[in-house]
Amino acid sequence: MNEMESFNHCCSDNVHMLKSSGSQSDMQQYSDKMDFEGHNGCEEDEITLNPPQNLQELIEGLKVIFSKEKVNTDLVKDFMTSYKSNIKEWKKFAKFDKHRYTRNLVDEGNGKFNLMVLCWNEAQGSSIHSHANSHCLMKVLDGTVQEQLYDWPTESDGEHKMVPQHVNQYPRNQVAYINDDLGLHRVENPSHSDKAVTLHLYSPPFDECESFDEKTGHKNKARVTFWSKFGHRTPFGKTGVDASFVPENN
Ligand SMILES: N[C@@H](CS(=O)O)C(=O)O
């Protein structure tokens, strides 16, 4: 089984999230999820998570979810959505660079995932890229980010301008999900007056992916590194090329 397949709905390892003070519809949503998994005969080894009250609880809960053999990406998305962004909790990781967006490692997820804070100054963005066969969840901690989604270029396209197929905007606290089966994307802070901060989870962790030239569709390997780790600046010269996929117009 490859890593992607291991992210189907969980069956023998059940992890659920309780909606503590939710509305009727919240509770219905929770019950539906229980039913779905119940139909699969999943009643053993059940773990119930409360919605995280702070960043530390979010990290600990994610470690529980990812300790299971199978991981339900809908649950990860719901769990990340239910964390209400609080700047006091993540500001030590939020380090900006005037030239490009930064990647700041928060937690290595017991080897199962990397959790990082990305900081986007006004109008900064990534280039079009893939995700190394990993799962990518992105939660907005501050500001609003825009995602442009692209199809993979095909050999028969030849040299071809890449055109976005969808454009999504994500405000504070929303979570987006992508993997290579869904296509390619680039993310930017569309604001010329406000910064943006996002929290990214990648599983499995990766340090190389592919970046694409929007004008031609040509791809290149791109190493990804960290501007800081655990709140401390990463030493220059030890982490290879810079962290970001930077579009030519940035
Ligand atoms: N995947 C990018 C950020 S984004 O544009 O999704 C990165 O990890 O640097």
Side-chain angles (χ1 to χ4, degrees):
M1 179 184 293
N2 68 27
E3 295 288 351
M4 300 291 263
E5 287 166 338
S6 72
F7 272 69
N8 294 327
H9 282 286
C10 51
C11 185
S12 58
D13 295 315
N14 269 341
V15 187
H16 304 287
M17 184 176 62
L18 271 180
K19 305 258 176 174
S20 55
S21 56
S23 63
Q24 183 76 31
S25 61
D26 284 342
M27 290 310 288
Q28 186 60 45
Q29 192 187 343
Y30 170 64
S31 305
D32 289 347
K33 211 166 253 166
M34 292 289 284
D35 279 345
F36 178 87
E37 296 187 353
H39 289 316
N40 286 283
C42 310
E43 280 160 23
E44 294 166 18
D45 192 17
E46 202 161 288
I47 294 175
T48 301
L49 290 172
N50 287 313
Q53 298 303 302
N54 54 51
L55 182 62
Q56 199 50 41
E57 286 187 17
L58 174 66
I59 295 168
E60 294 313 317
L62 289 169
K63 285 179 180 168
V64 171
I65 295 172
F66 280 86
S67 68
K68 301 298 171 186
E69 195 183 320
K70 296 180 182 178
V71 175
N72 177 342
T73 49
D74 288 342
L75 174 65
V76 179
K77 190 174 177 191
D78 285 355
F79 194 63
M80 288 179 74
T81 303
S82 68
Y83 165 63
K84 299 296 167 237
S85 173
N86 179 344
I87 188 171
K88 287 190 198 133
E89 294 160 10
W90 49 257
K91 72 176 177 203
K92 70 179 264 203
F93 305 110
K95 301 183 187 292
F96 290 82
D97 183 292
K98 66 179 174 193
H99 298 297
R100 56 193 57 191
Y101 79 90
T102 64
R103 307 171 84 246
N104 305 281
L105 184 65
V106 173
D107 200 286
E108 292 178 307
N110 293 330
K112 299 287 181 63
F113 62 86
N114 269 349
L115 190 70
M116 63 195 75
V117 164
L118 271 56
C119 296
W120 314 80
N121 262 317
E122 297 83 349
Q124 287 180 341
S126 54
S127 64
I128 303 169
H129 59 274
S130 60
H131 292 89
N133 237 15
S134 289
H135 298 265
C136 161
L137 292 110
M138 172 180 77
K139 179 190 174 76
V140 181
L141 295 177
D142 199 20
T144 293
V145 294
Q146 180 167 286
E147 176 191 47
Q148 290 170 298
L149 288 160
Y150 297 82
D151 291 336
W152 286 81
T154 58
E155 293 281 317
S156 61
D157 284 347
E159 198 164 283
H160 210 274
K161 182 172 164 51
M162 296 176 73
V163 178
Q165 303 298 308
H166 295 282
V167 179
N168 299 315
Q169 291 233 345
Y170 296 98
R172 184 179 160 96
N173 282 319
Q174 274 199 6
V175 176
Y177 170 79
I178 192 169
N179 66 38
D180 287 345
D181 290 341
L182 298 178
L184 308 168
H185 77 174
R186 70 176 292 264
V187 172
E188 68 178 310
N189 173 10
S191 173
H192 288 262
S193 53
D194 298 318
K195 299 177 193 309
V197 180
T198 49
L199 181 70
H200 293 234
L201 183 151
Y202 297 114
S203 181
F206 63 89
D207 57 16
E208 189 174 279
C209 64
E210 292 169 323
S211 124
F212 294 76
D213 180 346
E214 186 170 12
K215 293 194 191 85
T216 63
H218 290 163
K219 66 179 178 189
N220 275 304
K221 282 197 166 41
R223 261 187 73 75
V224 289
T225 57
F226 294 108
W227 200 97
S228 73
K229 288 185 175 179
F230 316 116
H232 302 290
R233 180 72 167 112
T234 313
F236 288 109
K238 290 206 172 160
T239 54
V241 293
D242 191 89
S244 320
F245 316 108
V246 183
E248 280 140 21
N249 64 355
N250 195 26

